[in-house]
Amino acid sequence: MKSLGFNFSQVRALSGAGQQHGSVYWKKGSVQILKNASSKLPLHQSLKACFSVSNSPIWMDSSTASQCSALEKAVGGAQHLASITGSRAYERFTGNQIAKIYSQNPEVYMETERISLVSSFAASLFLGAYAPIDYSDGSGMNLLQIWKKVWSVSCLDACAPGLEEKLGCPVPSHSVLGPISPYYSQRYGFSPDCKIVAFTGDNPASLAGMRLQEGDIAISLGTSDTLFLWIQEPTPALEGHILCNPVDSQTYMALLCFKNGSLMRERIRDDCASGSWDEFSKALSSTVAGNNGNLGFYFDVMEITPEAVGIHRFNGDNQKVSDFPKEVEIRALIEGQFMAKRIHAEKLGYKVMPRTRILATGGASHNKKILQVLSDVFNAPVYTIDTANSACLGSAYRAIHGLIAEMNVSLADVVKLAPEPKLAVTPTAGAEEIYCPLLKRYAELEQKVVCNPASSCLAK
Ligand SMILES: Nc1ncnc2c1ncn2[C@@H]1O[C@H](COP(=O)(O)OP(=O)(O)O)[C@@H](O)[C@H]1O
Ligand SMILES: O=C(CO)[C@@H](O)[C@H](O)COP(=O)(O)O
């Protein structure tokens, strides 16, 4: 941006977002190095000795099953943990990741003075000091008591000793953390008055960028697929996550995460469409809604929602088949991914209503043929915003909001002049009649492919 001539001196506030759940481990004494970083050097040179863990765990890590069981046991069971933190124990959630580091490398843990999320890590760079974790991204750790918005002592104690001190106090997501560090004003020309507003997770930032309203459903088609809703009175359950709302601390956000998103679509695109999205889209156009009853489950890696792995194809008579013609495979993948989203959103209590709007974002939301299937499966119109990078736009909105949020101004008021989402596609006539019975079949077949203790996932 500097070499493009961007005028940093005009920036009044900035915020940002990071993939949720990942964690960064700062070595004892690092805060001084961060504070005193020389503006003559790039940050990576000044900070290279600051980290006690060199490979930070990210959300795709699922190696903490034993820590998850221990956490659920320590607090009185999976539902009880969900009632406290909004989610039962998940492998990628930061508390379980920290517990693993502590149990495998206690000396590394003891050497760590601060643990940041990806979001609060990035905020720390701009602040030149350790930035607090915001309530919304903090809800993805299995550590935050989401009702009182304080760390849960029983969860902290179950994960590692002395953890509260290493996490710092969580703050409302709209908090102004302080002015930008001298490093950034000297090196890039920011005004020393530029404010840093708490950073948050990518999905919470997307909720802000899409200006989600109650009743809307947001579907992000990025590396992972996620689905999120704005809710007033959540009931945390054994499936899905409840997070504090990033733009309104009194309300909540429900989130479902599907690990087999774009990477799965890319794999089928490479196998069945010569690696071309155009060819992939043509296959969707050349096949009929409902795929003549053929449907499939495509999980190259262990899925989060539902817990299942492997590729499972069924013909119209519910018989398992080993392959489909290429075009049928492509439609089965996309229909299957969207049917799963609708079924699991409905399990969370969401109902598709006549006024339902689906707001689509993420890389695959550029693809109209994919959006058409989404619209047909949900029988609802799909909208997109000009930029598919809603997490980035949401960070800009949140930065402006942070400057005046204390005056009780809502984010909706701050961004009311921003362009409205654009209608991308509407449901095809007759889609509801096709997908109603298919959704029922998909839900029944899903029961056959999910992992449960009585059956091996891989054997099916
Ligand atoms: N035309 C397209 N059709 C379908 N998927 C696409 C298309 N263009 C990009 N993508 C997908 O978008 C993904 C990236 O989405 P993005 O939202 O940037 O990811 P992230 O969640 O990592 O931020 C890529 O993995 C790619 O598969
Ligand atoms: O784990 C989750 C949400 O719970 C992921 O959605 C991550 O937040 C990162 O997503 P991508 O940006 O890689 O899709």
Side-chain angles (χ1 to χ4, degrees), residues 18-22 58-60 92-93 137 140 201-204 220-226 241 243 255-258 304:
Q19 289 192 329
Q20 296 192 261
H21 320 296
I58 65 151
W59 74 276
M60 285 178 134
R92 68 192 192 287
F93 276 43
D137 211 14
D202 56 349
N203 294 298
S220 166
L221 303 169
T223 305
S224 63
D225 285 352
T226 55
H241 314 297
L243 313 179
L255 175 86
L256 287 173
C257 184
F258 303 85
I304 298 167

XYZ file of all heavy atoms in Angstrom, residues 18-22 58-60 92-93 137 140 201-204 220-226 241 243 255-258 304, ligand 2:
246
model
N -8.768 -12.326 11.834
C -7.887 -13.468 11.592
C -8.698 -14.748 11.645
O -9.782 -14.775 12.243
N -8.182 -15.791 11.010
C -8.850 -17.086 11.109
C -9.049 -17.407 12.589
O -8.167 -17.177 13.404
C -7.980 -18.168 10.487
C -7.912 -18.075 8.972
C -7.276 -19.322 8.373
O -6.428 -19.952 8.989
N -7.677 -19.666 7.184
N -10.207 -17.967 12.901
C -10.524 -18.218 14.301
C -9.704 -19.379 14.866
O -9.246 -20.231 14.118
C -12.010 -18.554 14.418
C -12.884 -17.382 14.003
C -14.321 -17.603 14.394
O -15.145 -17.994 13.604
N -14.620 -17.356 15.660
N -9.579 -19.386 16.165
C -9.066 -20.516 16.984
C -7.545 -20.668 17.018
O -7.030 -21.278 17.939
C -9.671 -21.868 16.548
C -11.128 -21.821 16.196
N -12.096 -21.496 17.128
C -11.790 -22.025 15.026
C -13.292 -21.512 16.534
N -13.131 -21.824 15.258
N -6.800 -20.180 16.007
C -5.339 -20.326 15.992
C -4.721 -19.555 17.152
O -5.301 -18.590 17.661
N -3.311 -23.966 14.032
C -4.418 -23.223 13.414
C -5.696 -24.061 13.470
O -5.681 -25.194 13.947
C -4.104 -22.801 11.964
C -3.954 -24.021 11.043
C -2.882 -21.916 11.902
C -4.324 -23.744 9.610
N -6.772 -23.510 12.928
C -8.094 -24.134 13.092
C -8.187 -25.522 12.471
O -9.012 -26.326 12.864
C -9.185 -23.217 12.511
C -9.216 -23.182 11.003
C -8.450 -22.403 10.199
C -10.037 -23.968 10.145
N -8.752 -22.657 8.890
C -9.726 -23.611 8.825
C -11.028 -24.938 10.356
C -10.346 -24.176 7.717
C -11.643 -25.514 9.252
C -11.293 -25.130 7.954
N -7.308 -25.848 11.503
C -7.425 -27.155 10.857
C -6.820 -28.277 11.698
O -6.951 -29.441 11.352
C -6.777 -27.124 9.482
C -7.641 -26.373 8.489
S -6.853 -26.302 6.906
C -8.214 -26.744 5.845
N -10.241 -27.983 17.431
C -9.550 -26.765 16.985
C -9.666 -25.625 17.991
O -8.979 -24.611 17.866
C -10.089 -26.325 15.623
C -11.522 -25.830 15.617
C -12.022 -25.721 14.189
N -13.282 -25.007 14.052
C -14.485 -25.453 14.401
N -14.598 -26.632 14.970
N -15.570 -24.714 14.197
N -10.557 -25.734 18.961
C -10.765 -24.623 19.895
C -9.516 -24.441 20.775
O -8.887 -25.387 21.219
C -12.034 -24.848 20.724
C -13.296 -24.396 20.019
C -13.493 -24.676 18.666
C -14.267 -23.654 20.679
C -14.641 -24.237 17.996
C -15.415 -23.213 20.025
C -15.606 -23.505 18.689
N -14.243 -13.426 19.149
C -13.242 -14.441 18.802
C -12.905 -15.277 20.042
O -12.624 -16.477 19.927
C -11.974 -13.776 18.231
C -11.261 -14.660 17.204
O -11.877 -15.642 16.735
O -10.102 -14.374 16.866
N -14.457 -18.712 20.693
C -14.043 -19.904 19.953
C -12.893 -20.621 20.636
O -12.037 -21.204 19.975
N -12.460 -12.520 14.935
C -12.321 -13.675 14.051
C -12.835 -13.380 12.647
O -13.594 -12.421 12.433
N -12.436 -14.193 11.673
C -12.862 -13.929 10.296
C -14.375 -14.052 10.122
O -14.999 -13.234 9.434
C -12.103 -14.811 9.283
C -12.199 -16.313 9.526
O -12.688 -16.737 10.594
O -11.788 -17.073 8.635
N -14.978 -15.042 10.782
C -16.441 -15.175 10.633
C -17.194 -14.039 11.328
O -18.083 -13.446 10.717
C -16.889 -16.560 11.122
C -16.343 -17.658 10.225
O -16.656 -17.708 9.046
N -15.499 -18.519 10.769
N -16.836 -13.682 12.576
C -17.475 -12.502 13.165
C -17.272 -11.237 12.311
O -18.203 -10.440 12.131
C -16.784 -12.366 14.528
C -16.370 -13.764 14.868
C -16.016 -14.419 13.563
N -20.645 -18.523 4.134
C -19.321 -18.156 3.645
C -18.700 -19.373 2.969
O -18.596 -20.439 3.572
C -18.478 -17.692 4.840
O -17.133 -17.630 4.471
N -18.340 -19.198 1.708
C -17.792 -20.313 0.926
C -16.309 -20.064 0.700
O -15.876 -19.705 -0.386
C -18.560 -20.435 -0.402
C -20.074 -20.628 -0.240
C -20.802 -20.479 -1.569
C -20.389 -21.971 0.373
N -15.543 -20.179 1.785
C -14.102 -19.950 1.714
C -13.373 -21.280 1.752
O -13.869 -22.270 1.232
N -12.188 -21.282 2.368
C -11.466 -22.549 2.506
C -12.363 -23.529 3.249
O -12.610 -24.649 2.797
C -10.142 -22.326 3.274
O -9.425 -21.315 2.590
C -9.322 -23.589 3.323
N -12.858 -23.094 4.414
C -13.936 -23.845 5.057
C -15.238 -23.186 4.615
O -15.238 -22.047 4.172
C -13.823 -23.746 6.576
O -13.979 -22.405 6.998
N -16.337 -23.929 4.737
C -17.645 -23.287 4.565
C -18.188 -23.020 5.957
O -18.079 -23.878 6.843
C -18.621 -24.234 3.843
C -18.319 -24.340 2.352
O -17.464 -23.581 1.854
O -18.957 -25.175 1.685
N -18.732 -21.842 6.153
C -19.381 -21.597 7.435
C -20.751 -20.991 7.179
O -21.007 -20.417 6.114
C -18.572 -20.637 8.344
O -18.327 -19.431 7.621
C -17.264 -21.227 8.780
N -21.938 -23.738 17.211
C -21.265 -22.880 18.183
C -22.086 -21.613 18.404
O -22.651 -21.074 17.458
C -19.901 -22.432 17.657
C -19.108 -23.555 17.062
N -18.685 -24.625 17.794
C -18.684 -23.778 15.796
C -18.027 -25.457 17.014
N -18.015 -24.969 15.791
N -21.399 -17.825 19.592
C -20.328 -16.850 19.867
C -20.981 -15.537 20.299
O -22.116 -15.239 19.891
C -19.507 -16.563 18.605
C -19.021 -17.725 17.738
C -18.256 -17.181 16.521
C -18.136 -18.667 18.517
N -22.947 -20.270 14.776
C -22.003 -20.611 13.700
C -21.949 -22.124 13.518
O -21.881 -22.871 14.486
C -20.608 -20.102 14.084
C -19.467 -20.473 13.149
C -19.347 -19.463 12.018
C -18.132 -20.513 13.874
N -21.987 -22.527 12.254
C -21.707 -23.926 11.923
C -20.500 -23.918 11.005
O -20.402 -23.063 10.121
C -22.886 -24.549 11.159
C -24.151 -24.867 11.949
C -25.250 -25.314 11.003
C -23.885 -25.942 13.001
N -19.586 -24.846 11.210
C -18.385 -24.884 10.369
C -18.311 -26.227 9.644
O -18.514 -27.278 10.243
C -17.149 -24.681 11.251
S -15.610 -24.590 10.307
N -18.045 -26.155 8.353
C -17.935 -27.354 7.511
C -16.511 -27.352 6.959
O -16.158 -26.474 6.170
C -18.959 -27.299 6.370
C -20.382 -27.150 6.857
C -20.911 -25.898 7.154
C -21.197 -28.264 7.036
C -22.209 -25.753 7.616
C -22.504 -28.126 7.498
C -23.016 -26.873 7.787
N -16.575 -31.622 10.421
C -16.966 -31.135 11.756
C -18.480 -31.269 11.906
O -18.988 -31.734 12.909
C -16.508 -29.661 11.934
C -14.982 -29.551 11.850
C -17.036 -29.067 13.226
C -14.433 -28.135 11.696
O -12.832 -22.868 12.249
C -13.489 -22.032 11.649
C -14.710 -21.465 12.232
O -15.070 -22.062 13.451
C -13.002 -21.519 10.307
O -14.040 -20.916 9.599
C -11.843 -20.561 10.509
O -12.342 -19.364 11.084
C -11.046 -20.266 9.243
O -11.756 -20.351 8.090
P -11.256 -20.128 6.560
O -10.994 -18.673 6.454
O -10.028 -20.954 6.399
O -12.410 -20.587 5.756
